[in-house]
């Protein structure tokens, strides 16, 4: 923090806002960015989103960090030009590494429109305790925004790296590929290519299913008829494919006032869509049915509320898709549900129980052999 020239940020914000600005004392910080609030006397404000050194990811070079900020700026320009209903912050300026202002400030940064509101994640699991009309209001907005983004499709899997109103968006390599250790310098042409490289991570017992599930999914995409085509088009998605709660700002009436943090938004296979927190699908259909069958089960109340919320979420997604179709912008296909690793094996190959475990052990051995040969 000591290396950041806050005076330079304040001066730039004052120029953008056309009035002397001051920096609020509170700030927020994540893994890659810290955010400062810059306010004018008439209570207008913007956010200075300042890049941080990636101490946890030592292989992040200046070129990678420059590409990250380039992609985020390009995405926000694309969305601002094309998306009409999703509330987006205005990007006033983007100062990449090496620019005169970034050098003066001591880091790359963006100046972004500020919003009055708080994160939907503040509600978290209390969403189950909200009146049903409030839940419907939240899920209606959530799913309509996701569906509108998914209506934008691209022939490749990757990040929007450049955009202009004249030439349109250009899809480049996935901006976050270095985080997932994906060794590619170009966008993916098919689901197969994407899942083949996406799953290359160290295999340990503690994260066994997390490690194997992308490989299982990849093989199912390649070997079975569940997903008929491995080619695009591929829909545009927010960062975590679910427009996570932490990225949605709301007011006291649960109206969405802004969707933020577009750093890792990209085009991706339809199959990576999933239920968002706090309603993730964490059990198989059979396990869920068993819990719901016994009202005395310790998890019965929580699971029944999650199931009800997921049903409402799916209903609202269907309504959002139908609304898009009426407007002449149908989705290429309906959003797919997420399943667990063993459920993927069952769906793809018809394996259950010991057969499913044997199949996973075979894949685990293949991964270890590949790791030894690399």
């Amino acid at each position: 923090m000591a290396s950041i020239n806050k005076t330079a940020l304040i001066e730039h914000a004052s120029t953008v806002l056309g009035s002397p600005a001051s920096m609020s004392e509170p700030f927020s910080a994540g893994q890659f960015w810290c955010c400062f609030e810059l306010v004018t006397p008439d209570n207008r404000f913007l956010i200075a989103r300042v890049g941080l050194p990636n101490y946890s990811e030592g292989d992040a070079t200046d070129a990678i960090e420059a590409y990250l900020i380039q992609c985020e700026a390009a995405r926000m320009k694309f969305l601002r030009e094309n998306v009409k209903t999703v509330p987006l912050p205005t990007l006033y300026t983007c100062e990449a590494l090496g620019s005169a202002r970034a050098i003066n400030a001591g880091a790359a940064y963006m100046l972004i429109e500020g919003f009055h509101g708080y994160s939907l994640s503040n509600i978290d699991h209390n969403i189950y305790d909200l009146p049903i009309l409030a839940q419907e209001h939240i899920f209606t907005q959530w799913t309509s925004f996701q569906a509108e983004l998914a209506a934008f499709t691209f022939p490749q899997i990757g990040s929007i790296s450049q955009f202009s109103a004249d030439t349109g968006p250009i899809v480049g390599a996935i901006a976050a590929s270095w985080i997932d250790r994906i060794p590619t310098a170009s966008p993916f042409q098919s689901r197969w290519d994407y899942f083949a490289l996406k799953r290359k991570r160290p295999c340990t017992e503690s994260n066994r299913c997390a490690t194997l599930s992308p490989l299982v999914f990849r093989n199912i995409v390649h070997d079975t008829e569940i997903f008929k085509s491995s080619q695009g088009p591929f829909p545009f998605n927010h960062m975590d494919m679910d427009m996570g709660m932490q990225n949605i700002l709301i007011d006291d009436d649960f109206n969405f006032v802004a969707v933020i943090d577009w750093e890792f938004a990209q085009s991706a296979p339809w199959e990576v869509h999933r239920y968002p927190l706090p309603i993730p699908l964490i059990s198989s259909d059979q396990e869920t049915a068993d819990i719901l069958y016994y009202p005395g089960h310790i998890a019965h109340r929580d699971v029944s509320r999650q199931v009800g919320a997921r049903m409402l979420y799916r209903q609202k997604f269907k309504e959002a898709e139908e609304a898009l179709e009426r407007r002449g912008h149908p989705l290429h296909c309906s959003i797919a549900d997420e399943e667990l690793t063993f459920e993927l094996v069952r769906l793809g190959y018809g394996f259950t129980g010991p057969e499913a475990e044997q199949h996973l052990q075979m894949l685990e051995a293949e991964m270890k052999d590949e790791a030894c040969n690399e």
Side-chain angles (χ1 to χ4, degrees), residues 174-342:
I174 295 175
S177 59
W178 60 278
I179 297 176
D180 289 333
R181 303 294 197 274
I182 300 176
T184 179
S186 58
F188 294 101
Q189 305 299 321
S190 71
R191 292 171 176 85
W192 167 258
D193 294 334
Y194 177 78
F195 287 113
L197 291 176
K198 183 76 172 173
R199 57 88 180 174
K200 286 195 173 182
R201 298 172 181 168
C203 181
T204 64
E205 188 63 29
S206 61
N207 69 347
R208 179 173 182 249
C209 283
T211 301
L212 291 176
S213 56
L215 179 56
V216 172
F217 204 176
R218 181 208 69 173
N219 286 356
I220 290 174
V221 170
H222 184 265
D223 297 338
T224 74
E225 296 300 313
I226 293 179
F227 307 111
K228 300 297 183 181
S229 171
S230 66
Q231 304 304 314
F234 304 105
F236 187 73
N237 302 271
H238 190 273
M239 175 178 167
D240 295 314
M241 313 306 167
D242 60 4
M243 195 177 286
M245 299 177 75
Q246 73 279 7
N247 300 314
I248 299 171
L249 302 182
I250 60 173
D251 63 18
D252 291 333
D253 296 318
F254 307 112
N255 298 308
F256 287 22
V257 297
V259 181
I260 61 174
D261 288 354
W262 294 90
E263 184 175 17
F264 299 127
Q266 64 175 76
S267 57
W270 293 89
E271 296 81 17
V272 302
H273 281 84
R274 57 176 176 259
Y275 287 110
L277 289 172
I279 55 170
L281 190 61
I282 57 176
S283 301
S284 68
D285 291 344
Q286 185 60 53
E287 288 175 310
T288 300
D290 290 343
I291 292 172
L292 294 179
Y293 184 77
Y294 296 104
H297 194 287
I298 189 173
H300 182 273
R301 181 172 180 271
D302 287 341
V303 170
S304 61
R305 294 194 302 170
Q306 286 184 358
V307 169
R310 281 198 296 270
M311 291 175 65
L312 179 60
Y313 179 83
R314 291 178 64 180
Q315 173 192 333
K316 293 303 178 183
F317 225 127
K318 181 178 179 181
E319 291 174 4
E321 293 175 350
E322 291 172 347
L324 278 174
E325 187 167 5
R326 289 194 298 271
R327 288 159 48 192
H329 302 289
L331 297 188
H332 184 68
C333 65
S334 184
I335 302 300
D337 289 343
E338 181 189 63
E339 282 284 1
L340 299 180
T341 304
F342 280 83

Side-chain angles (χ1 to χ4, degrees), residues 18-313:
S19 179
S22 60
M23 183 177 289
S24 300
E25 186 173 338
F27 68 91
S28 63
Q31 185 177 2
F32 305 107
W33 300 87
C34 63
C35 294
F36 300 99
E37 184 182 78
L38 297 148
V39 188
T40 62
D42 58 359
N43 207 33
R44 290 179 296 124
F45 74 102
L46 53 74
I47 301 298
R49 194 158 179 250
V50 183
L52 292 173
N54 291 305
Y55 296 113
S56 60
E57 302 289 349
D59 58 347
T61 65
D62 286 350
I64 290 174
E65 293 184 34
Y67 184 66
L68 281 171
I69 195 169
Q70 170 191 324
C71 287
E72 183 166 16
R75 291 184 205 107
M76 294 181 72
K77 292 175 182 177
F78 166 77
L79 292 167
R80 175 61 62 181
E81 183 77 19
N82 292 280
V83 177
K84 306 305 179 185
T85 63
V86 180
L88 304 163
T90 298
L91 174 64
Y92 293 114
T93 186
C94 174
E95 298 297 335
L97 289 170
S99 73
R101 288 188 181 273
I103 292 172
N104 190 29
Y109 67 93
M110 297 179 177
L111 296 182
I112 303 172
E113 178 184 7
F115 290 88
H116 293 285
Y118 56 93
S119 173
L120 183 61
S121 61
N122 290 358
I123 298 175
D124 199 19
H125 294 285
N126 292 329
I127 195 171
Y128 302 134
D129 298 324
L130 295 176
I132 187 63
L133 289 179
Q135 293 188 44
E136 287 186 358
H137 185 52
I138 290 172
F139 286 136
T140 295
Q141 297 171 91
W142 203 337
T143 54
S144 68
F145 295 164
Q146 285 182 271
E148 181 166 356
L149 291 178
F152 294 100
T153 59
F154 300 89
Q156 300 167 310
I157 298 170
S159 297
I160 296 176
S161 58
Q162 298 179 52
F163 174 76
S164 73
D166 295 330
T167 62
I170 296 176
V171 176
I174 295 175
S177 59
W178 60 278
I179 297 176
D180 289 333
R181 303 294 197 274
I182 300 176
T184 179
S186 58
F188 294 101
Q189 305 299 321
S190 71
R191 292 171 176 85
W192 167 258
D193 294 334
Y194 177 78
F195 287 113
L197 291 176
K198 183 76 172 173
R199 57 88 180 174
K200 286 195 173 182
R201 298 172 181 168
C203 181
T204 64
E205 188 63 29
S206 61
N207 69 347
R208 179 173 182 249
C209 283
T211 301
L212 291 176
S213 56
L215 179 56
V216 172
F217 204 176
R218 181 208 69 173
N219 286 356
I220 290 174
V221 170
H222 184 265
D223 297 338
T224 74
E225 296 300 313
I226 293 179
F227 307 111
K228 300 297 183 181
S229 171
S230 66
Q231 304 304 314
F234 304 105
F236 187 73
N237 302 271
H238 190 273
M239 175 178 167
D240 295 314
M241 313 306 167
D242 60 4
M243 195 177 286
M245 299 177 75
Q246 73 279 7
N247 300 314
I248 299 171
L249 302 182
I250 60 173
D251 63 18
D252 291 333
D253 296 318
F254 307 112
N255 298 308
F256 287 22
V257 297
V259 181
I260 61 174
D261 288 354
W262 294 90
E263 184 175 17
F264 299 127
Q266 64 175 76
S267 57
W270 293 89
E271 296 81 17
V272 302
H273 281 84
R274 57 176 176 259
Y275 287 110
L277 289 172
I279 55 170
L281 190 61
I282 57 176
S283 301
S284 68
D285 291 344
Q286 185 60 53
E287 288 175 310
T288 300
D290 290 343
I291 292 172
L292 294 179
Y293 184 77
Y294 296 104
H297 194 287
I298 189 173
H300 182 273
R301 181 172 180 271
D302 287 341
V303 170
S304 61
R305 294 194 302 170
Q306 286 184 358
V307 169
R310 281 198 296 270
M311 291 175 65
L312 179 60
Y313 179 83

